[in-house]
Amino acid sequence: VIVSFDGQAIYNSGQLPPLVGVLPAGFKAKLGVIRDGKPMSLNIVVESLPGNLENTVESAASSGPAQEGEVKRLNVQVGPLTAEARKQLHVNTGVLVLGVGVGSAAEAGIRPGDVILQVAQQQITSAADLQKLVAALPAGQPIPVLVRRGEGSFYLVLSLPH
């Protein structure tokens, strides 16, 4: 869980993207995290997203409607990854985010084109898998979500509604 970026405290997942997004590629910063319950400080270098990210998302979405689903509690539409998308993104599992409506997922920073790999440290393999897991999680508590965006994976934290 990220708790600070370059000396600035991070209280929610929506604070970090604007801080990082305005920085040039190559910018070096310290990232404060809590990993396995222990505070840590990491040295990072900000990188730019790959130019072919849109092509990867389009090819991932071209898998058709098989196994697509809406996760109503998150207000997201997800679908399976094609074999080509798995290879390009270097992932074996996960679901592609096809759409995001107003709600906790959008507030956490999840957006179309992201691949949800884990929720609450549980690996996601299908839309049904995600739906079942999210339905069982408690409301109002922070839930870590491992997301793959382009060539990078990172955690977002969201709080589920009742």
Side-chain angles (χ1 to χ4, degrees), residues 80-119:
L81 292 168
T82 63
E84 180 182 340
R86 283 192 175 108
K87 183 177 178 183
Q88 287 178 341
L89 295 169
H90 307 289
V91 297
N92 295 320
T93 63
V95 292
L96 176 67
V97 177
L98 301 172
V100 182
V102 175
S104 60
E107 291 167 8
I110 294 174
R111 58 189 189 199
D114 287 349
V115 177
I116 298 175
L117 301 171
Q118 292 180 3
V119 174

Side-chain angles (χ1 to χ4, degrees), residues 111-130:
R111 58 189 189 199
D114 287 349
V115 177
I116 298 175
L117 301 171
Q118 292 180 3
V119 174
Q121 287 85 38
Q122 300 295 312
Q123 194 170 37
I124 303 301
T125 58
S126 68
D129 191 28
L130 178 61

Side-chain angles (χ1 to χ4, degrees), residues 28-131:
K28 295 178 182 178
K30 288 219 181 269
L31 192 66
V33 300
I34 297 176
R35 184 177 290 166
D36 296 325
K38 298 176 185 142
M40 300 176 72
S41 181
L42 306 172
N43 293 315
I44 65 155
V45 177
V46 174
E47 297 290 336
S48 60
L49 287 173
N52 66 350
L53 180 59
E54 289 180 16
N55 294 337
T56 300
V57 170
E58 287 173 11
S59 69
S62 68
S63 62
Q67 297 183 10
E68 284 184 12
E70 182 179 357
V71 182
K72 291 182 181 181
R73 196 166 180 210
L74 292 178
N75 200 14
V76 296
Q77 183 76 22
V78 296
L81 292 168
T82 63
E84 180 182 340
R86 283 192 175 108
K87 183 177 178 183
Q88 287 178 341
L89 295 169
H90 307 289
V91 297
N92 295 320
T93 63
V95 292
L96 176 67
V97 177
L98 301 172
V100 182
V102 175
S104 60
E107 291 167 8
I110 294 174
R111 58 189 189 199
D114 287 349
V115 177
I116 298 175
L117 301 171
Q118 292 180 3
V119 174
Q121 287 85 38
Q122 300 295 312
Q123 194 170 37
I124 303 301
T125 58
S126 68
D129 191 28
L130 178 61
Q131 177 75 8

Side-chain angles (χ1 to χ4, degrees), residues 8-20:
Q8 185 169 345
I10 302 296
Y11 297 104
N12 66 58
S13 61
Q15 289 180 281
L16 188 61
L19 292 175
V20 177

